[in-house]
Amino acid sequence: MARPVFIVDGSRTPFLKARSGPGPFTPVDLAVQCGRPLLARQPFAPTDFDQVILGCVNVIADEMNPARVAALRLGMGEDMVAFTVQINCGSGMQSIDTAYRYIREGHADMILAGGTEALSHAPLVWPNSGVRWFAGLATAKGVAAKLAAAFKLRPRYLKPIIGLERGLTDPITELNMGQTAEVVGHLFGITRAQSDAYAAESHRRLAHAQAEGFLKGEVETAFARDGKFFDHDDGVRPDSTAETLAKLRPVFERPWGQVTAGNSSQITDGASWVILASDAAVAKHKLTPKAAIVDSNWAALDPSIMGLGPVMSATPLLQRNNLTVQDVETWELNEAFATQVLGCLAAWNDDKFCREILRLDGAAGEIDREKLNVDGGAISLGHPVGTSGNRIVLHLVNAMKRLGTRRGIATECIGGGLGGAMLIEAV
């Protein structure tokens, strides 16, 4: 029989907005910064875990398999099995889901599952023509051949490609992620004014959560090698209003597009961990669970409308557990783009879409905005790709505990035309 799986603790770094050049932390640095205080406060040794699973998309060359590198730096022992997972924006949630299934089926009792990403460290990539030139120069035999190869150099061979820009472009549809949000917004008639109002509210909610101390115990201070410290998500703009955001130009579809830098998620560095445990591990170590994972679901759809991934993944999850959207008291829906979030809400409330696409009897209904992303989201704090799925689960658990709610769903769209959703219950 399937065993219950509990989330007993978790922590994350501040999310730091990528600015000019690489930030102070690599992906593993970030994972270690929030992992050390998390493990230090546990009543068991770091070596007591069965596995470490870490989501990461932009793995840097010096940190192959960052899960293993992080586990060793965290003092978890040379015999600790650790592996990295990658499913684009869903990587941090995939780490939790994989751990959940290992524990549920009895293959492990305690797993550290996380996500990390340092988008500011995304590489510049040589064009293929430049790579071929370097290869020809390296393999040329003799001085004459090397000189001949060298003289074939053209300036365009040395023009670097921004790796992150290519990584955020779907290779099948050749649409970047912002353009897919434009498609979703067009399908459901989302206006620029609605998107800007949503974005401004995200900033207001995060600023309020920071001021009220709602993130205390979730966000750990990160210390850089030069002595600087970072203790809060630094992308929040409390003075943002729909009126100020309306002044920004569209980024992806000029001049008539809805998606701007102000109503999109921010390019950010950050890491997050959660500790998952079986009932046996809870009893053995006298742990106090924060919540239980009830179920999870993944879905796939046309990459050009990948922003509807939450609808496609969360709806079967609700059906399988005999729930409606109104039965869920707290929602974390990753804010890739304001237009995309609003498109998801519109889809659930659209009778034709729900009948023809979701095979429901009618509209699923309206999600109360007071139950959705109660402390802001990626628009105000950022979207480190491999981390966000982990953060929304961690914050959902903490928000449910603070609000006294029983049931919550964390869900996200995933580049490439995927979606993930996880059902959480308070214990």
Side-chain angles (χ1 to χ4, degrees):
M1 292 182 63
R3 302 192 302 170
V5 180
F6 301 102
I7 295 175
V8 298
D9 204 351
S11 68
R12 68 175 177 89
T13 67
F15 280 14
L16 307 177
K17 187 174 180 179
R19 292 182 168 85
S20 56
F25 305 105
T26 68
V28 169
D29 288 339
L30 290 161
V32 171
Q33 286 288 331
C34 59
R36 279 180 177 153
L38 174 63
L39 297 185
R41 65 176 177 246
Q42 304 309 317
F44 51 81
T47 53
D48 287 337
F49 284 94
D50 297 301
Q51 285 184 347
V52 176
I53 308 173
L54 184 67
C56 186
V57 178
N58 289 276
V59 177
I60 67 173
D62 294 332
E63 297 176 350
M64 291 293 104
N65 190 9
R68 174 62 171 171
V69 181
L72 291 171
R73 285 182 58 184
L74 287 169
M76 303 183 76
E78 294 180 357
D79 58 350
M80 181 63 62
V81 174
F83 60 92
T84 304
V85 294
Q86 204 271 59
I87 183 174
N88 286 341
C89 314
S91 302
M93 184 181 288
Q94 180 66 70
S95 72
I96 297 175
D97 190 47
T98 304
Y100 159 63
R101 295 171 189 274
Y102 272 123
I103 295 173
R104 185 187 65 180
E105 303 304 320
H107 301 300
D109 281 304
M110 201 158 57
I111 296 176
L112 182 64
T116 190
E117 201 75 72
L119 292 179
S120 68
H121 286 254
L124 294 175
V125 182
W126 288 113
N128 284 335
S129 57
V131 173
R132 284 192 291 269
W133 177 80
F134 275 113
L137 182 64
T139 56
K141 304 296 185 183
V143 175
K146 285 191 178 293
L147 285 172
F151 278 116
K152 293 179 181 179
L153 175 64
R154 299 293 182 270
R156 66 179 181 274
Y157 296 172
L158 303 180
K159 184 180 179 181
I161 298 168
I162 299 173
L164 183 60
E165 183 178 310
R166 297 305 304 149
L168 295 177
T169 299
D170 184 79
I172 305 300
T173 65
E174 296 187 351
L175 297 175
N176 61 47
M177 296 301 100
Q179 289 173 312
T180 69
E182 293 280 13
V183 174
V184 170
H186 176 74
L187 289 173
F188 292 96
I190 307 303
T191 68
R192 170 70 185 274
Q194 289 173 318
S195 296
D196 288 342
Y198 182 93
E201 179 66 13
S202 178
H203 284 281
R204 189 197 68 77
R205 290 187 180 192
L206 177 57
H208 177 72
Q210 290 177 334
E212 294 296 319
F214 293 161
L215 304 180
K216 185 178 181 180
E218 176 177 320
V219 177
E220 303 287 350
T221 301
F223 298 89
R225 299 183 186 211
D226 63 2
K228 292 182 180 178
F229 68 91
F230 305 86
D231 61 2
H232 65 282
D233 306 309
D234 67 1
V236 63
R237 298 186 296 274
D239 58 347
S240 289
T241 66
E243 291 72 26
T244 58
L245 292 174
K247 298 176 182 178
L248 299 176
R249 297 175 62 190
V251 175
F252 305 103
E253 292 294 334
R254 294 176 178 173
W256 310 114
Q258 311 299 320
V259 181
T260 71
N263 58 38
S264 304
S265 56
Q266 301 177 40
I267 297 174
T268 309
D269 298 350
S272 174
W273 291 107
V274 294
I275 296 173
L276 281 73
S278 67
D279 48 0
V282 167
K284 177 181 179 180
H285 299 292
K286 297 181 174 58
L287 305 176
T288 303
K290 290 187 173 185
I293 300 177
V294 177
D295 200 357
S296 62
N297 191 68
W298 301 87
L301 67 163
D302 185 335
S304 68
I305 52 172
M306 70 95 197
L308 295 176
V311 180
M312 305 306 294
S313 58
T315 302
L317 187 67
L318 291 166
Q319 292 178 298
R320 194 158 62 225
N321 290 276
N322 299 312
L323 299 171
T324 67
V325 294
Q326 292 81 14
D327 292 328
V328 179
E329 301 157 288
T330 312
W331 289 82
E332 281 288 322
L333 196 162
N334 191 45
E335 297 174 351
F337 304 92
T339 302
Q340 167 262 327
V341 175
L342 294 172
C344 288
L345 300 185
W348 267 311
N349 208 30
D350 186 278
D351 187 79
K352 183 179 180 181
F353 180 88
C354 289
R355 288 180 183 276
E356 295 183 1
I357 306 301
L358 300 180
R359 302 291 187 261
L360 302 178
D361 295 332
E366 190 170 355
I367 294 177
D368 185 348
R369 290 280 294 276
E370 295 303 311
K371 299 179 180 179
L372 174 72
N373 299 341
V374 295
D375 298 319
I379 289 171
S380 51
L381 62 84
H383 178 21
V385 179
T387 306
S388 290
N390 200 275
R391 183 204 70 82
I392 62 174
V393 173
L394 171 62
H395 189 68
L396 176 66
V397 169
N398 291 336
M400 287 171 59
K401 187 173 181 62
R402 185 183 85 236
L403 298 171
T405 55
R406 178 185 168 216
R407 189 180 292 119
I409 283 181
T411 184
E412 60 191 333
C413 63
I414 300 170
L418 299 166
M422 188 163 285
L423 177 62
I424 305 292
E425 282 191 359
V427 294

